[in-house]
Amino acid sequence: MYVLNRREELISYYERHGYTKKGIIQHYPLSLNVGIPKLEVSLIELIKHII
């Protein structure tokens, strides 16, 4: 799952529910015509291992 790096409260929520940061950071996908952010943002990958 990818979460915007500016959404620290959302990242904390997912970490409390078993997700961990994988360490992969990607640029915001401007080429997909999803809008231009007013602030510089990137995407952080989170992963959850299910047993």
Side-chain angles (χ1 to χ4, degrees):
M1 155 186 342
Y2 290 92
V3 180
L4 293 173
N5 66 329
R6 299 275 181 175
R7 297 293 310 270
E8 293 181 21
E9 74 285 353
L10 187 57
I11 293 170
S12 296
Y13 172 83
Y14 284 121
E15 287 178 330
R16 287 193 305 271
H17 289 86
Y19 286 83
T20 57
K21 292 179 186 175
K22 191 171 180 184
I24 297 175
I25 299 174
Q26 295 186 356
H27 296 290
Y28 189 76
L30 296 174
S31 62
L32 296 178
N33 295 323
V34 292
I36 299 173
K38 293 181 179 182
L39 302 171
E40 185 175 329
V41 294
S42 57
L43 300 170
I44 298 175
E45 185 174 355
L46 301 174
I47 190 167
K48 182 175 184 178
H49 296 284
I50 300 175
I51 301 172

mmCIF file of all heavy atoms in Angstrom:
data_model
loop_
_atom_site.group_PDB
_atom_site.id
_atom_site.type_symbol
_atom_site.label_atom_id
_atom_site.label_comp_id
_atom_site.label_asym_id
_atom_site.label_seq_id
_atom_site.Cartn_x
_atom_site.Cartn_y
_atom_site.Cartn_z
ATOM 1 N N MET A 1 0.846 -1.146 0.000
ATOM 2 C CA MET A 1 0.000 0.000 0.000
ATOM 3 C C MET A 1 0.901 1.222 0.000
ATOM 4 O O MET A 1 1.986 1.203 0.575
ATOM 5 C CB MET A 1 -0.887 -0.037 1.242
ATOM 6 C CG MET A 1 -1.370 1.273 1.687
ATOM 7 S SD MET A 1 -2.285 1.347 3.226
ATOM 8 C CE MET A 1 -2.804 -0.261 3.547
ATOM 9 N N TYR A 2 0.449 2.289 -0.647
ATOM 10 C CA TYR A 2 1.212 3.531 -0.683
ATOM 11 C C TYR A 2 0.424 4.624 0.020
ATOM 12 O O TYR A 2 -0.793 4.736 -0.160
ATOM 13 C CB TYR A 2 1.500 3.967 -2.116
ATOM 14 C CG TYR A 2 2.489 3.076 -2.806
ATOM 15 C CD1 TYR A 2 2.089 1.986 -3.552
ATOM 16 C CD2 TYR A 2 3.851 3.322 -2.690
ATOM 17 C CE1 TYR A 2 3.004 1.166 -4.181
ATOM 18 C CE2 TYR A 2 4.777 2.506 -3.311
ATOM 19 C CZ TYR A 2 4.346 1.433 -4.057
ATOM 20 O OH TYR A 2 5.259 0.621 -4.668
ATOM 21 N N VAL A 3 1.117 5.427 0.838
ATOM 22 C CA VAL A 3 0.507 6.530 1.575
ATOM 23 C C VAL A 3 1.360 7.774 1.346
ATOM 24 O O VAL A 3 2.592 7.687 1.291
ATOM 25 C CB VAL A 3 0.433 6.207 3.086
ATOM 26 C CG1 VAL A 3 -0.202 7.334 3.864
ATOM 27 C CG2 VAL A 3 -0.331 4.918 3.327
ATOM 28 N N LEU A 4 0.715 8.922 1.233
ATOM 29 C CA LEU A 4 1.454 10.170 1.074
ATOM 30 C C LEU A 4 2.305 10.444 2.309
ATOM 31 O O LEU A 4 1.843 10.265 3.441
ATOM 32 C CB LEU A 4 0.488 11.340 0.864
ATOM 33 C CG LEU A 4 -0.309 11.328 -0.430
ATOM 34 C CD1 LEU A 4 -1.330 12.449 -0.416
ATOM 35 C CD2 LEU A 4 0.596 11.441 -1.631
ATOM 36 N N ASN A 5 3.520 10.879 2.098
ATOM 37 C CA ASN A 5 4.430 11.113 3.222
ATOM 38 C C ASN A 5 3.946 12.231 4.144
ATOM 39 O O ASN A 5 4.314 12.270 5.321
ATOM 40 C CB ASN A 5 5.837 11.437 2.713
ATOM 41 C CG ASN A 5 5.904 12.740 1.956
ATOM 42 O OD1 ASN A 5 4.942 13.155 1.310
ATOM 43 N ND2 ASN A 5 7.054 13.380 2.027
ATOM 44 N N ARG A 6 3.114 13.119 3.689
ATOM 45 C CA ARG A 6 2.578 14.214 4.508
ATOM 46 C C ARG A 6 1.505 13.738 5.480
ATOM 47 O O ARG A 6 1.144 14.455 6.390
ATOM 48 C CB ARG A 6 1.983 15.302 3.619
ATOM 49 C CG ARG A 6 2.959 15.939 2.700
ATOM 50 C CD ARG A 6 3.662 17.034 3.403
ATOM 51 N NE ARG A 6 4.614 17.683 2.507
ATOM 52 C CZ ARG A 6 5.290 18.732 2.844
ATOM 53 N NH1 ARG A 6 5.113 19.271 4.016
ATOM 54 N NH2 ARG A 6 6.153 19.239 2.013
ATOM 55 N N ARG A 7 0.971 12.540 5.293
ATOM 56 C CA ARG A 7 -0.105 12.015 6.132
ATOM 57 C C ARG A 7 0.464 11.180 7.278
ATOM 58 O O ARG A 7 0.242 9.982 7.379
ATOM 59 C CB ARG A 7 -1.058 11.178 5.285
ATOM 60 C CG ARG A 7 -1.777 11.927 4.185
ATOM 61 C CD ARG A 7 -2.777 12.950 4.716
ATOM 62 N NE ARG A 7 -3.671 12.417 5.715
ATOM 63 C CZ ARG A 7 -4.848 11.848 5.476
ATOM 64 N NH1 ARG A 7 -5.271 11.740 4.258
ATOM 65 N NH2 ARG A 7 -5.582 11.392 6.463
ATOM 66 N N GLU A 8 1.205 11.837 8.160
ATOM 67 C CA GLU A 8 1.880 11.135 9.248
ATOM 68 C C GLU A 8 0.898 10.433 10.183
ATOM 69 O O GLU A 8 1.183 9.342 10.685
ATOM 70 C CB GLU A 8 2.762 12.106 10.024
ATOM 71 C CG GLU A 8 3.926 12.623 9.197
ATOM 72 C CD GLU A 8 4.821 13.569 9.969
ATOM 73 O OE1 GLU A 8 4.794 13.523 11.216
ATOM 74 O OE2 GLU A 8 5.531 14.336 9.319
ATOM 75 N N GLU A 9 -0.280 11.036 10.420
ATOM 76 C CA GLU A 9 -1.274 10.404 11.289
ATOM 77 C C GLU A 9 -1.812 9.122 10.659
ATOM 78 O O GLU A 9 -2.083 8.140 11.349
ATOM 79 C CB GLU A 9 -2.407 11.370 11.643
ATOM 80 C CG GLU A 9 -3.399 11.659 10.521
ATOM 81 C CD GLU A 9 -2.897 12.586 9.419
ATOM 82 O OE1 GLU A 9 -1.797 13.152 9.540
ATOM 83 O OE2 GLU A 9 -3.621 12.735 8.422
ATOM 84 N N LEU A 10 -1.942 9.104 9.340
ATOM 85 C CA LEU A 10 -2.417 7.908 8.650
ATOM 86 C C LEU A 10 -1.351 6.814 8.660
ATOM 87 O O LEU A 10 -1.660 5.637 8.873
ATOM 88 C CB LEU A 10 -2.814 8.261 7.217
ATOM 89 C CG LEU A 10 -3.484 7.177 6.391
ATOM 90 C CD1 LEU A 10 -4.737 6.666 7.087
ATOM 91 C CD2 LEU A 10 -3.820 7.708 5.014
ATOM 92 N N ILE A 11 -0.099 7.199 8.467
ATOM 93 C CA ILE A 11 1.000 6.233 8.540
ATOM 94 C C ILE A 11 1.065 5.633 9.938
ATOM 95 O O ILE A 11 1.206 4.420 10.093
ATOM 96 C CB ILE A 11 2.334 6.902 8.157
ATOM 97 C CG1 ILE A 11 2.309 7.282 6.678
ATOM 98 C CG2 ILE A 11 3.508 5.978 8.446
ATOM 99 C CD1 ILE A 11 3.460 8.164 6.241
ATOM 100 N N SER A 12 0.915 6.452 10.976
ATOM 101 C CA SER A 12 0.923 5.954 12.361
ATOM 102 C C SER A 12 -0.228 4.990 12.602
ATOM 103 O O SER A 12 -0.071 3.969 13.270
ATOM 104 C CB SER A 12 0.823 7.118 13.346
ATOM 105 O OG SER A 12 1.938 7.943 13.245
ATOM 106 N N TYR A 13 -1.396 5.299 12.047
ATOM 107 C CA TYR A 13 -2.559 4.418 12.185
ATOM 108 C C TYR A 13 -2.258 3.032 11.611
ATOM 109 O O TYR A 13 -2.505 2.010 12.244
ATOM 110 C CB TYR A 13 -3.769 5.034 11.480
ATOM 111 C CG TYR A 13 -4.954 4.107 11.395
ATOM 112 C CD1 TYR A 13 -5.830 3.969 12.455
ATOM 113 C CD2 TYR A 13 -5.187 3.348 10.248
ATOM 114 C CE1 TYR A 13 -6.912 3.106 12.377
ATOM 115 C CE2 TYR A 13 -6.257 2.492 10.159
ATOM 116 C CZ TYR A 13 -7.117 2.369 11.231
ATOM 117 O OH TYR A 13 -8.172 1.509 11.160
ATOM 118 N N TYR A 14 -1.726 3.011 10.391
ATOM 119 C CA TYR A 14 -1.423 1.730 9.761
ATOM 120 C C TYR A 14 -0.312 0.982 10.501
ATOM 121 O O TYR A 14 -0.361 -0.244 10.610
ATOM 122 C CB TYR A 14 -1.061 1.916 8.290
ATOM 123 C CG TYR A 14 -2.266 2.180 7.418
ATOM 124 C CD1 TYR A 14 -2.375 3.339 6.665
ATOM 125 C CD2 TYR A 14 -3.305 1.263 7.351
ATOM 126 C CE1 TYR A 14 -3.480 3.579 5.870
ATOM 127 C CE2 TYR A 14 -4.417 1.487 6.563
ATOM 128 C CZ TYR A 14 -4.503 2.641 5.827
ATOM 129 O OH TYR A 14 -5.603 2.865 5.048
ATOM 130 N N GLU A 15 0.669 1.696 11.025
ATOM 131 C CA GLU A 15 1.726 1.038 11.792
ATOM 132 C C GLU A 15 1.167 0.407 13.068
ATOM 133 O O GLU A 15 1.594 -0.678 13.458
ATOM 134 C CB GLU A 15 2.837 2.029 12.119
ATOM 135 C CG GLU A 15 3.680 2.382 10.917
ATOM 136 C CD GLU A 15 4.767 3.391 11.207
ATOM 137 O OE1 GLU A 15 4.592 4.235 12.105
ATOM 138 O OE2 GLU A 15 5.810 3.320 10.539
ATOM 139 N N ARG A 16 0.199 1.045 13.691
ATOM 140 C CA ARG A 16 -0.447 0.463 14.885
ATOM 141 C C ARG A 16 -1.242 -0.789 14.534
ATOM 142 O O ARG A 16 -1.494 -1.631 15.386
ATOM 143 C CB ARG A 16 -1.369 1.479 15.549
ATOM 144 C CG ARG A 16 -0.656 2.587 16.277
ATOM 145 C CD ARG A 16 -1.596 3.385 17.164
ATOM 146 N NE ARG A 16 -2.739 3.934 16.466
ATOM 147 C CZ ARG A 16 -2.789 5.119 15.868
ATOM 148 N NH1 ARG A 16 -1.720 5.895 15.880
ATOM 149 N NH2 ARG A 16 -3.880 5.528 15.264
ATOM 150 N N HIS A 17 -1.646 -0.910 13.274
ATOM 151 C CA HIS A 17 -2.431 -2.057 12.835
ATOM 152 C C HIS A 17 -1.614 -3.080 12.058
ATOM 153 O O HIS A 17 -2.151 -3.852 11.257
ATOM 154 C CB HIS A 17 -3.632 -1.579 12.016
ATOM 155 C CG HIS A 17 -4.660 -0.916 12.866
ATOM 156 N ND1 HIS A 17 -4.613 0.427 13.187
ATOM 157 C CD2 HIS A 17 -5.739 -1.420 13.500
ATOM 158 C CE1 HIS A 17 -5.618 0.718 13.965
ATOM 159 N NE2 HIS A 17 -6.324 -0.380 14.180
ATOM 160 N N GLY A 18 -0.305 -3.106 12.277
ATOM 161 C CA GLY A 18 0.529 -4.178 11.751
ATOM 162 C C GLY A 18 1.311 -3.897 10.480
ATOM 163 O O GLY A 18 2.056 -4.755 10.019
ATOM 164 N N TYR A 19 1.141 -2.736 9.902
ATOM 165 C CA TYR A 19 1.906 -2.393 8.698
ATOM 166 C C TYR A 19 3.273 -1.849 9.088
ATOM 167 O O TYR A 19 3.435 -1.261 10.154
ATOM 168 C CB TYR A 19 1.172 -1.323 7.878
ATOM 169 C CG TYR A 19 -0.040 -1.853 7.138
ATOM 170 C CD1 TYR A 19 -1.268 -1.974 7.786
ATOM 171 C CD2 TYR A 19 0.036 -2.218 5.807
ATOM 172 C CE1 TYR A 19 -2.383 -2.449 7.123
ATOM 173 C CE2 TYR A 19 -1.073 -2.688 5.133
ATOM 174 C CZ TYR A 19 -2.276 -2.804 5.787
ATOM 175 O OH TYR A 19 -3.370 -3.279 5.128
ATOM 176 N N THR A 20 4.245 -2.050 8.235
ATOM 177 C CA THR A 20 5.578 -1.493 8.446
ATOM 178 C C THR A 20 6.020 -0.779 7.177
ATOM 179 O O THR A 20 5.601 -1.128 6.073
ATOM 180 C CB THR A 20 6.616 -2.580 8.792
ATOM 181 O OG1 THR A 20 6.626 -3.560 7.749
ATOM 182 C CG2 THR A 20 6.297 -3.258 10.113
ATOM 183 N N LYS A 21 6.880 0.219 7.355
ATOM 184 C CA LYS A 21 7.425 0.925 6.200
ATOM 185 C C LYS A 21 8.436 0.014 5.525
ATOM 186 O O LYS A 21 9.299 -0.556 6.170
ATOM 187 C CB LYS A 21 8.119 2.209 6.637
ATOM 188 C CG LYS A 21 7.191 3.250 7.168
ATOM 189 C CD LYS A 21 7.970 4.480 7.598
ATOM 190 C CE LYS A 21 7.071 5.476 8.271
ATOM 191 N NZ LYS A 21 7.828 6.625 8.796
ATOM 192 N N LYS A 22 8.296 -0.135 4.242
ATOM 193 C CA LYS A 22 9.189 -1.011 3.498
ATOM 194 C C LYS A 22 10.481 -0.297 3.114
ATOM 195 O O LYS A 22 11.462 -0.925 2.784
ATOM 196 C CB LYS A 22 8.479 -1.535 2.251
ATOM 197 C CG LYS A 22 9.212 -2.649 1.565
ATOM 198 C CD LYS A 22 8.383 -3.274 0.482
ATOM 199 C CE LYS A 22 9.171 -4.390 -0.171
ATOM 200 N NZ LYS A 22 8.459 -4.970 -1.282
ATOM 201 N N GLY A 23 10.495 1.032 3.182
ATOM 202 C CA GLY A 23 11.691 1.784 2.851
ATOM 203 C C GLY A 23 11.723 2.287 1.424
ATOM 204 O O GLY A 23 12.676 2.912 1.007
ATOM 205 N N ILE A 24 10.673 2.004 0.673
ATOM 206 C CA ILE A 24 10.607 2.447 -0.717
ATOM 207 C C ILE A 24 9.798 3.739 -0.779
ATOM 208 O O ILE A 24 8.670 3.797 -0.306
ATOM 209 C CB ILE A 24 9.970 1.375 -1.618
ATOM 210 C CG1 ILE A 24 10.843 0.119 -1.614
ATOM 211 C CG2 ILE A 24 9.765 1.905 -3.033
ATOM 212 C CD1 ILE A 24 10.262 -1.044 -2.362
ATOM 213 N N ILE A 25 10.397 4.766 -1.340
ATOM 214 C CA ILE A 25 9.726 6.054 -1.495
ATOM 215 C C ILE A 25 9.692 6.376 -2.986
ATOM 216 O O ILE A 25 10.702 6.305 -3.674
ATOM 217 C CB ILE A 25 10.472 7.157 -0.715
ATOM 218 C CG1 ILE A 25 10.488 6.805 0.771
ATOM 219 C CG2 ILE A 25 9.824 8.511 -0.958
ATOM 220 C CD1 ILE A 25 11.307 7.749 1.617
ATOM 221 N N GLN A 26 8.498 6.704 -3.475
ATOM 222 C CA GLN A 26 8.339 7.026 -4.891
ATOM 223 C C GLN A 26 7.827 8.452 -5.037
ATOM 224 O O GLN A 26 7.157 8.981 -4.154
ATOM 225 C CB GLN A 26 7.362 6.061 -5.550
ATOM 226 C CG GLN A 26 7.857 4.645 -5.576
ATOM 227 C CD GLN A 26 6.927 3.748 -6.357
ATOM 228 O OE1 GLN A 26 5.877 4.154 -6.811
ATOM 229 N NE2 GLN A 26 7.330 2.501 -6.526
ATOM 230 N N HIS A 27 8.108 9.045 -6.182
ATOM 231 C CA HIS A 27 7.611 10.381 -6.476
ATOM 232 C C HIS A 27 6.106 10.331 -6.729
ATOM 233 O O HIS A 27 5.564 9.313 -7.174
ATOM 234 C CB HIS A 27 8.314 10.963 -7.697
ATOM 235 C CG HIS A 27 9.775 11.171 -7.482
ATOM 236 N ND1 HIS A 27 10.273 12.144 -6.638
ATOM 237 C CD2 HIS A 27 10.852 10.525 -7.951
ATOM 238 C CE1 HIS A 27 11.574 12.089 -6.631
ATOM 239 N NE2 HIS A 27 11.970 11.102 -7.422
ATOM 240 N N TYR A 28 5.432 11.410 -6.453
ATOM 241 C CA TYR A 28 4.005 11.524 -6.717
ATOM 242 C C TYR A 28 3.765 11.398 -8.225
ATOM 243 O O TYR A 28 4.476 12.013 -9.020
ATOM 244 C CB TYR A 28 3.502 12.870 -6.200
ATOM 245 C CG TYR A 28 2.011 13.029 -6.228
ATOM 246 C CD1 TYR A 28 1.216 12.411 -5.280
ATOM 247 C CD2 TYR A 28 1.393 13.803 -7.206
ATOM 248 C CE1 TYR A 28 -0.162 12.561 -5.304
ATOM 249 C CE2 TYR A 28 0.026 13.962 -7.233
ATOM 250 C CZ TYR A 28 -0.746 13.333 -6.277
ATOM 251 O OH TYR A 28 -2.106 13.477 -6.297
ATOM 252 N N PRO A 29 2.768 10.617 -8.657
ATOM 253 C CA PRO A 29 2.572 10.331 -10.086
ATOM 254 C C PRO A 29 1.897 11.470 -10.859
ATOM 255 O O PRO A 29 0.717 11.418 -11.180
ATOM 256 C CB PRO A 29 1.694 9.084 -10.067
ATOM 257 C CG PRO A 29 0.889 9.237 -8.827
ATOM 258 C CD PRO A 29 1.819 9.882 -7.834
ATOM 259 N N LEU A 30 2.640 12.506 -11.186
ATOM 260 C CA LEU A 30 2.083 13.635 -11.927
ATOM 261 C C LEU A 30 1.627 13.241 -13.327
ATOM 262 O O LEU A 30 0.690 13.826 -13.871
ATOM 263 C CB LEU A 30 3.119 14.757 -12.020
ATOM 264 C CG LEU A 30 3.528 15.388 -10.691
ATOM 265 C CD1 LEU A 30 4.663 16.370 -10.910
ATOM 266 C CD2 LEU A 30 2.346 16.055 -10.034
ATOM 267 N N SER A 31 2.253 12.241 -13.907
ATOM 268 C CA SER A 31 1.928 11.827 -15.275
ATOM 269 C C SER A 31 0.564 11.145 -15.398
ATOM 270 O O SER A 31 0.054 10.984 -16.500
ATOM 271 C CB SER A 31 3.001 10.881 -15.800
ATOM 272 O OG SER A 31 3.040 9.708 -15.009
ATOM 273 N N LEU A 32 -0.061 10.783 -14.287
ATOM 274 C CA LEU A 32 -1.365 10.110 -14.330
ATOM 275 C C LEU A 32 -2.533 11.090 -14.306
ATOM 276 O O LEU A 32 -3.688 10.674 -14.224
ATOM 277 C CB LEU A 32 -1.488 9.138 -13.150
ATOM 278 C CG LEU A 32 -0.496 7.982 -13.149
ATOM 279 C CD1 LEU A 32 -0.685 7.124 -11.904
ATOM 280 C CD2 LEU A 32 -0.640 7.141 -14.394
ATOM 281 N N ASN A 33 -2.221 12.395 -14.363
ATOM 282 C CA ASN A 33 -3.252 13.438 -14.360
ATOM 283 C C ASN A 33 -4.192 13.344 -13.161
ATOM 284 O O ASN A 33 -5.403 13.457 -13.304
ATOM 285 C CB ASN A 33 -4.043 13.425 -15.671
ATOM 286 C CG ASN A 33 -3.185 13.779 -16.849
ATOM 287 O OD1 ASN A 33 -2.303 14.621 -16.756
ATOM 288 N ND2 ASN A 33 -3.414 13.121 -17.971
ATOM 289 N N VAL A 34 -3.620 13.117 -11.989
ATOM 290 C CA VAL A 34 -4.407 13.054 -10.758
ATOM 291 C C VAL A 34 -4.336 14.376 -9.994
ATOM 292 O O VAL A 34 -4.819 14.462 -8.879
ATOM 293 C CB VAL A 34 -3.945 11.881 -9.860
ATOM 294 C CG1 VAL A 34 -4.283 10.559 -10.498
ATOM 295 C CG2 VAL A 34 -2.463 11.974 -9.574
ATOM 296 N N GLY A 35 -3.772 15.385 -10.603
ATOM 297 C CA GLY A 35 -3.673 16.698 -9.984
ATOM 298 C C GLY A 35 -2.242 17.032 -9.621
ATOM 299 O O GLY A 35 -1.376 16.170 -9.563
ATOM 300 N N ILE A 36 -2.022 18.317 -9.402
ATOM 301 C CA ILE A 36 -0.699 18.795 -9.016
ATOM 302 C C ILE A 36 -0.774 19.230 -7.558
ATOM 303 O O ILE A 36 -1.554 20.125 -7.217
ATOM 304 C CB ILE A 36 -0.256 19.960 -9.915
ATOM 305 C CG1 ILE A 36 -0.183 19.495 -11.369
ATOM 306 C CG2 ILE A 36 1.082 20.521 -9.453
ATOM 307 C CD1 ILE A 36 0.076 20.600 -12.363
ATOM 308 N N PRO A 37 0.007 18.615 -6.681
ATOM 309 C CA PRO A 37 -0.043 18.984 -5.266
ATOM 310 C C PRO A 37 0.559 20.369 -5.027
ATOM 311 O O PRO A 37 1.474 20.796 -5.735
ATOM 312 C CB PRO A 37 0.788 17.898 -4.581
ATOM 313 C CG PRO A 37 1.647 17.336 -5.648
ATOM 314 C CD PRO A 37 0.927 17.523 -6.938
ATOM 315 N N LYS A 38 0.017 21.079 -4.032
ATOM 316 C CA LYS A 38 0.535 22.402 -3.689
ATOM 317 C C LYS A 38 1.843 22.295 -2.915
ATOM 318 O O LYS A 38 2.666 23.184 -2.971
ATOM 319 C CB LYS A 38 -0.492 23.165 -2.866
ATOM 320 C CG LYS A 38 -1.725 23.514 -3.660
ATOM 321 C CD LYS A 38 -2.707 24.287 -2.841
ATOM 322 C CE LYS A 38 -3.930 24.633 -3.684
ATOM 323 N NZ LYS A 38 -4.887 25.429 -2.934
ATOM 324 N N LEU A 39 2.011 21.205 -2.180
ATOM 325 C CA LEU A 39 3.237 20.928 -1.434
ATOM 326 C C LEU A 39 3.948 19.750 -2.082
ATOM 327 O O LEU A 39 3.317 18.914 -2.729
ATOM 328 C CB LEU A 39 2.915 20.592 0.024
ATOM 329 C CG LEU A 39 2.151 21.646 0.809
ATOM 330 C CD1 LEU A 39 1.726 21.081 2.151
ATOM 331 C CD2 LEU A 39 3.003 22.881 0.993
ATOM 332 N N GLU A 40 5.252 19.670 -1.877
ATOM 333 C CA GLU A 40 5.996 18.534 -2.425
ATOM 334 C C GLU A 40 5.632 17.279 -1.629
ATOM 335 O O GLU A 40 5.748 17.263 -0.406
ATOM 336 C CB GLU A 40 7.490 18.791 -2.339
ATOM 337 C CG GLU A 40 8.304 17.708 -3.009
ATOM 338 C CD GLU A 40 9.786 18.030 -3.021
ATOM 339 O OE1 GLU A 40 10.130 19.209 -3.066
ATOM 340 O OE2 GLU A 40 10.566 17.074 -2.973
ATOM 341 N N VAL A 41 5.157 16.265 -2.317
ATOM 342 C CA VAL A 41 4.768 15.013 -1.666
ATOM 343 C C VAL A 41 5.410 13.840 -2.378
ATOM 344 O O VAL A 41 5.790 13.921 -3.549
ATOM 345 C CB VAL A 41 3.231 14.815 -1.634
ATOM 346 C CG1 VAL A 41 2.561 15.842 -0.777
ATOM 347 C CG2 VAL A 41 2.645 14.805 -3.017
ATOM 348 N N SER A 42 5.517 12.738 -1.664
ATOM 349 C CA SER A 42 5.979 11.484 -2.237
ATOM 350 C C SER A 42 5.157 10.367 -1.609
ATOM 351 O O SER A 42 4.405 10.584 -0.668
ATOM 352 C CB SER A 42 7.475 11.286 -1.989
ATOM 353 O OG SER A 42 7.748 11.344 -0.616
ATOM 354 N N LEU A 43 5.298 9.189 -2.139
ATOM 355 C CA LEU A 43 4.545 8.031 -1.668
ATOM 356 C C LEU A 43 5.457 7.089 -0.917
ATOM 357 O O LEU A 43 6.541 6.756 -1.387
ATOM 358 C CB LEU A 43 3.918 7.295 -2.857
ATOM 359 C CG LEU A 43 2.950 8.115 -3.700
ATOM 360 C CD1 LEU A 43 2.597 7.363 -4.964
ATOM 361 C CD2 LEU A 43 1.711 8.441 -2.919
ATOM 362 N N ILE A 44 5.014 6.650 0.263
ATOM 363 C CA ILE A 44 5.763 5.706 1.083
ATOM 364 C C ILE A 44 5.055 4.359 1.008
ATOM 365 O O ILE A 44 3.838 4.279 1.184
ATOM 366 C CB ILE A 44 5.843 6.177 2.539
ATOM 367 C CG1 ILE A 44 6.590 7.498 2.608
ATOM 368 C CG2 ILE A 44 6.491 5.129 3.426
ATOM 369 C CD1 ILE A 44 6.632 8.110 3.983
ATOM 370 N N GLU A 45 5.808 3.307 0.755
ATOM 371 C CA GLU A 45 5.214 1.976 0.662
ATOM 372 C C GLU A 45 5.140 1.348 2.052
ATOM 373 O O GLU A 45 6.116 1.311 2.792
ATOM 374 C CB GLU A 45 6.029 1.073 -0.266
ATOM 375 C CG GLU A 45 5.373 -0.267 -0.483
ATOM 376 C CD GLU A 45 6.091 -1.117 -1.519
ATOM 377 O OE1 GLU A 45 7.038 -0.636 -2.136
ATOM 378 O OE2 GLU A 45 5.661 -2.260 -1.701
ATOM 379 N N LEU A 46 3.955 0.846 2.390
ATOM 380 C CA LEU A 46 3.718 0.114 3.628
ATOM 381 C C LEU A 46 3.334 -1.305 3.273
ATOM 382 O O LEU A 46 2.659 -1.545 2.276
ATOM 383 C CB LEU A 46 2.598 0.773 4.443
ATOM 384 C CG LEU A 46 2.791 2.213 4.859
ATOM 385 C CD1 LEU A 46 1.537 2.746 5.511
ATOM 386 C CD2 LEU A 46 3.964 2.353 5.808
ATOM 387 N N ILE A 47 3.737 -2.259 4.105
ATOM 388 C CA ILE A 47 3.438 -3.660 3.843
ATOM 389 C C ILE A 47 2.993 -4.334 5.131
ATOM 390 O O ILE A 47 3.420 -3.952 6.219
ATOM 391 C CB ILE A 47 4.670 -4.385 3.235
ATOM 392 C CG1 ILE A 47 4.300 -5.764 2.746
ATOM 393 C CG2 ILE A 47 5.809 -4.431 4.217
ATOM 394 C CD1 ILE A 47 5.372 -6.384 1.865
ATOM 395 N N LYS A 48 2.102 -5.297 5.010
ATOM 396 C CA LYS A 48 1.631 -6.064 6.164
ATOM 397 C C LYS A 48 1.770 -7.543 5.828
ATOM 398 O O LYS A 48 1.225 -8.012 4.821
ATOM 399 C CB LYS A 48 0.180 -5.731 6.490
ATOM 400 C CG LYS A 48 -0.337 -6.451 7.704
ATOM 401 C CD LYS A 48 -1.736 -5.989 8.052
ATOM 402 C CE LYS A 48 -2.209 -6.631 9.331
ATOM 403 N NZ LYS A 48 -3.553 -6.148 9.696
ATOM 404 N N HIS A 49 2.489 -8.243 6.658
ATOM 405 C CA HIS A 49 2.654 -9.681 6.484
ATOM 406 C C HIS A 49 1.523 -10.397 7.218
ATOM 407 O O HIS A 49 1.329 -10.192 8.403
ATOM 408 C CB HIS A 49 4.011 -10.147 7.018
ATOM 409 C CG HIS A 49 5.155 -9.566 6.263
ATOM 410 N ND1 HIS A 49 5.529 -10.010 5.010
ATOM 411 C CD2 HIS A 49 6.007 -8.561 6.556
ATOM 412 C CE1 HIS A 49 6.557 -9.317 4.578
ATOM 413 N NE2 HIS A 49 6.863 -8.417 5.497
ATOM 414 N N ILE A 50 0.796 -11.210 6.495
ATOM 415 C CA ILE A 50 -0.309 -11.958 7.072
ATOM 416 C C ILE A 50 0.158 -13.376 7.330
ATOM 417 O O ILE A 50 0.693 -14.043 6.437
ATOM 418 C CB ILE A 50 -1.535 -11.938 6.127
ATOM 419 C CG1 ILE A 50 -1.975 -10.492 5.903
ATOM 420 C CG2 ILE A 50 -2.662 -12.774 6.709
ATOM 421 C CD1 ILE A 50 -3.076 -10.338 4.902
ATOM 422 N N ILE A 51 -0.047 -13.830 8.523
ATOM 423 C CA ILE A 51 0.404 -15.162 8.904
ATOM 424 C C ILE A 51 -0.694 -16.179 8.670
ATOM 425 O O ILE A 51 -1.815 -16.010 8.899
ATOM 426 C CB ILE A 51 0.837 -15.195 10.389
ATOM 427 C CG1 ILE A 51 1.949 -14.187 10.591
ATOM 428 C CG2 ILE A 51 1.265 -16.576 10.792
ATOM 429 C CD1 ILE A 51 2.333 -13.976 12.018
#
